[in-house]
Structures are given as C-alpha cells and as structure tokens.
Amino acid sequence: MRLVTVGVSGSMPGPASPASCYLVQAEDGERRWNVVLDLGSGSLGALQRHVDPAELDAVALSHLHPDHCADLSGLYVYLRYHPGHGSQTTGAPRRLPVVGPVDTRERAAAMYGLEPAEHMDAEYRFCTWTPTEPVTVGPMTLEAFAVNHPIEAYGIRVTGPSTQRPGERATLVYSGDTDTCASLVEASRGADLLLCEAAFQEGRDDGIEGIHLTGRRAGRVAADAAAARLLLTHLQPWTDPEVVLGEARAEYAGPAEVATAGGTYLL
Ligand SMILES: [Zn+2]
Ligand SMILES: [Zn+2]
C-alpha cells in the first residue's frame, strides 16, 4: 500500500496544505486501486496531482465536518460534467462508492443545493458505516470504528498488500478527528502506520475535552498501541509542528513525524 497525504491542515485549509485528504493506493496484480480517506476543503485540487478523480474507487469519510467532506461538491461536478468521461457525456452512471456517517447523502446533496438527494445517486453510491461490517475495495479492506468527537465520527483501519513485506498485509490506521478513546488504541494495535490527528497543543488547549488530541495524547495512543510508526496530522495553521512533534516524542519512542502536503509513504 501507498499513502499520499494530499491534505493535512486541521479544521481548515492552511497556506501550505488543503484540509484533510489521504489517498491510499494498492495493487492487486491487475491494476492499481485508489481510495481517498476524507475529501476536505481545497483537497480536490491537490488530489489531481496524484490521481485522476475519475479513477477513484471509493471515498471513505471519517465524519461530516467541512474540513473532511466539503469537496464532495467539486467531485460531483467532475464526475458528472467532465467532457471526456463525465456521466453526462458517457450516459453511464458513475456511482462512485462514498462511505460515511448516516447523513452523508443528504449533506452531500444539500452542500451542492440539490433537492431531493436522489439527484446525486447517479454519481455517488452512498453507504453508511457499520463498524462490524468491513468495506472491501479491490485488495484493500476498510473498517470503521467510532471515535470521540462532537458529532458522529469514525477512525478508519485500512489493510492491504504490503509493499515492504511481499506476500503479507500491511495496516494503516487513520484516527479521523478524535480525543483520546479506547477504540483508537484498540484499532491501532500493531499498525504499520498510525496516521493520527494532533490538532491541539499542551498548555494552549487544556480543558477542551472530547474534540481533538494533543501531540502528547497522540504519542500516548501510538505507545499504548505499539504502532510501528506515527504520522501526526490535522495540525491547525497557527500551530508550530515542532512543538506538537516534541510532545509526541516525549510519549512515543518509535519513529514519529508530522505529515506534509504531498508526502508519500510506503506501507
Ligand atoms: Zn477536522
Ligand atoms: Zn471534526
């Protein structure tokens, strides 16, 4: 598997990155499969540097805050009206799978001003996460687990063919937006890569509970789960990455870094 951190900025786009979007790619011997985890504000632009949006196989949404799903509107236009392969031209419904919380279909349609929501069904095939039911995309398996955020929100565990250990499976765990919770630690056990949000900073955001992790709390998750590698993300534009990384390193002895827009990681 290959991870491209398309958008890493927390809560909003920043000067150096769009909001949350992570492209995960894996090959099954026949072709490359492309999944995006979240499609936050501004990310559809940067995504096009890495993949033609027409070649996406699924969009998996952690939750419905705009910094994780806003660019569903732009992708809808792309899939419908692209003069080469838009469904308006081909006449074939695209029905790109979009997996997310219960209201995803209604929210996606409302964002674009479509009424009723059925009008998006030719481009998107909306499905709702059921934590006990994995979603299969080519050689990849996606499993959602509920996390600790003010609205319905999930972390996503992706397993797929390892590029580092041929013949074996690799595991990527994406925290979505969350504060500390047991489900994140459980899902992250033994992960090859924990892509973990760290929006908050110790001493600055103290006393705000149930929304985000700090660097220190993210580091604790990685340590408790014995994750092989920690990649911090979702830092807000006003945050110094070195401060949050220092917090994480105080808790977690394994390799840790802060994700940057356009970074590529092999699993
Ligand atoms: Zn967010
Ligand atoms: Zn959020």
Side-chain angles (χ1 to χ4, degrees):
M1 276 195 302
R2 181 170 179 264
L3 165 69
V4 183
T5 51
V6 175
V8 300
S9 183
S11 308
M12 68 204 80
S17 175
S20 294
C21 180
Y22 308 96
L23 172 65
V24 187
Q25 300 175 308
E27 299 184 14
D28 65 358
E30 304 215 338
R31 70 172 178 96
R32 172 175 283 179
W33 294 75
N34 302 293
V35 175
V36 287
L37 310 179
D38 287 340
L39 198 61
S41 23
S43 64
L44 182 62
L47 180 66
Q48 291 169 66
R49 297 188 197 128
H50 305 284
V51 68
D52 183 337
E55 292 175 7
L56 292 176
D57 294 292
V59 176
L61 300 176
S62 65
H63 66 300
L64 298 180
H65 278 151
D67 60 315
H68 297 260
C69 70
D71 279 13
L72 278 178
S73 290
L75 181 58
Y76 164 77
V77 175
Y78 193 100
L79 297 177
R80 185 169 178 84
Y81 296 108
H82 187 286
H85 38 236
S87 58
Q88 186 92 324
T89 304
T90 65
R94 178 62 175 78
R95 295 186 50 79
L96 173 66
V98 178
V99 198
V102 286
D103 294 333
T104 302
R105 182 178 184 234
E106 288 67 31
R107 286 284 298 280
M111 275 196 294
Y112 194 65
L114 280 181
E115 191 72 49
E118 285 81 358
H119 286 169
M120 268 191 173
D121 288 354
E123 280 66 44
Y124 291 140
R125 179 166 62 82
F126 293 101
C127 332
T128 300
W129 287 120
T130 304
T132 52
E133 291 177 17
V135 172
T136 301
V137 183
M140 291 178 274
T141 303
L142 281 61
E143 298 166 275
F145 52 94
V147 292
N148 182 10
H149 201 52
I151 60 172
E152 182 184 358
Y154 299 94
I156 304 168
R157 181 181 167 96
V158 185
T159 54
S162 171
T163 50
Q164 311 289 70
R165 305 182 306 273
E168 294 184 30
R169 306 276 288 173
T171 304
L172 162 70
V173 174
Y174 169 47
S175 68
D177 280 9
T178 185
D179 199 347
T180 299
C181 56
S183 60
L184 177 58
V185 176
E186 278 310 307
S188 305
R189 284 208 192 284
D192 292 282
L193 178 62
L194 171 58
L195 174 62
C196 192
E197 76 117 293
F200 284 170
Q201 188 177 309
E202 297 287 325
R204 186 190 71 190
D205 306 303
D206 294 355
I208 309 172
E209 294 180 358
I211 301 179
H212 291 303
L213 293 161
T214 60
R216 175 176 285 275
R217 297 200 289 262
R220 177 84 340 243
V221 171
D224 288 347
R229 190 173 177 189
L230 174 62
L231 186 56
L232 299 171
T233 192
H234 201 281
L235 278 62
Q236 290 156 330
W238 49 74
T239 299
D240 179 349
E242 289 303 318
V243 171
V244 173
L245 182 59
E247 290 179 15
R249 284 183 169 155
E251 296 289 327
Y252 174 67
E257 60 187 298
V258 175
T260 54
T264 300
Y265 305 83
L266 294 178
L267 283 94

